[in-house]
Amino acid sequence: MTIQTAKLSDPAVRAFVTAVNAHDREAFVKLLAPGATMADDGADRDLDEWIDREIFTSHGHMEVDNESWGGRAILARYSNDTWGEMRTRWSFTVEDDGRISRFETGQA
C-alpha cells in the first residue's frame, strides 16, 4: 500500500519525494548539502548529471510503499520516461541542518 508523501516520517525525505514528484529541480537542489553525493546500483554517479537524466528530463515519479530507519530508507515504485516503472530502494544520509548529504538508490 502506498504511503502518502505528506505522511513520510523524515522531513528531508518527504521534501525529496515531493520535489521529485513536482518536477521541481530548484526545490530538489536546495535539499542537498554542499558536496552531496549519490550512488545508483552500488556505483557512485555524478549527481548533477544523474538527477537531470534520471529525474528531471525523464519526468521521474515516486510512489513510496514502505519506510524504515526512521524514514531515511524507503521502498518505492519509481517511474520515468526512460525506464518505465521499477521497484527501487532508497537510503538517505541527512545532516544536522536537515539537508541530504548522500542518497543511494537501486533496484529492489
Side-chain angles (χ1 to χ4, degrees):
M1 178 159 66
T2 302
I3 301 171
Q4 293 177 359
T5 303
K7 296 194 180 218
L8 293 172
S9 300
D10 187 272
V13 174
R14 184 171 53 243
F16 181 99
V17 174
T18 298
V20 168
N21 290 347
H23 310 287
D24 188 341
R25 189 181 201 289
E26 184 177 337
F28 183 94
V29 171
K30 286 181 181 179
L31 296 169
L32 302 176
T37 61
M38 65 85 51
D40 185 2
D41 282 328
D44 281 0
R45 309 288 183 177
D46 178 277
L47 178 66
D48 289 329
E49 181 182 297
W50 189 91
I51 64 173
D52 282 340
R53 183 182 65 248
E54 299 294 338
I55 298 175
F56 296 107
T57 62
S58 61
H59 306 104
H61 187 82
M62 302 174 80
E63 294 290 331
V64 178
D65 292 326
N66 190 7
E67 63 178 355
S68 57
W69 294 352
R72 292 193 177 168
I74 60 175
L75 286 175
R77 284 172 283 125
Y78 185 78
S79 61
N80 67 23
D81 293 344
T82 303
W83 305 107
E85 184 176 301
M86 66 187 83
R87 187 167 167 83
T88 57
R89 58 171 171 69
W90 300 74
S91 62
F92 300 87
T93 303
V94 180
E95 299 301 309
D96 291 339
D97 67 0
R99 292 191 290 174
I100 297 168
S101 59
R102 181 168 177 84
F103 68 91
E104 298 183 17
T105 187
Q107 292 191 52

